[in-house]
Amino acid sequence: MIALIIYTMTMEKLKQIATLKLIGAPDRTIVGLIVQQALILGISGLAIGLALILLVKDSFPRRVVLEPFNALVLTGIILMVCLVASGLGVRAALKVDPATALGG
């Protein structure tokens, strides 16, 4: 899901990315923007998920304990998935022609 969201958001911003390339922004900057966006999505989803877990955990008859180590492992997995998922958007952004910013 994260890959689809990042890819869609990148496709919507191709003209702006082409403008950045036209004015001389290095590929590293464009990759950084997309990766940051993916990480922000992943971290915000993790924060919302952990908050919901803490809010509703006492409402269930059976409890599953989420130990701090397991939460750290989950955080690491989510960050890795976000980095890998941003690859599709990065690939599309690096292929865009700077001339797209001028005429379409």
Side-chain angles (χ1 to χ4, degrees):
M1 288 303 295
I2 293 173
L4 180 63
I5 292 169
I6 293 298
Y7 181 73
T8 303
M9 293 172 86
T10 302
M11 295 308 288
E12 290 176 358
K13 296 178 184 175
L14 281 182
K15 195 162 189 158
Q16 290 86 355
I17 292 169
T19 303
L20 284 173
K21 283 185 157 190
L22 188 66
I23 62 173
D27 288 344
R28 180 174 38 104
T29 301
I30 295 168
V31 170
L33 292 171
I34 295 170
V35 169
Q36 285 175 2
Q37 188 176 21
L39 290 176
I40 288 170
L41 279 172
I43 291 170
S44 61
L46 175 68
I48 291 169
L50 288 176
L52 285 173
I53 288 172
L54 293 174
L55 286 174
V56 300
K57 70 177 182 177
D58 294 329
S59 302
F60 292 98
R62 291 187 176 182
R63 292 192 175 87
V64 175
V65 177
L66 182 63
E67 296 176 353
F69 175 75
N70 293 337
L72 286 175
V73 170
L74 177 65
T75 302
I77 291 171
I78 288 174
L79 293 178
M80 290 303 298
V81 166
C82 289
L83 288 175
V84 170
S86 66
L88 192 59
V90 165
R91 193 170 131 214
L94 293 180
K95 284 185 176 181
V96 70
D97 184 24
T100 307
L102 295 176

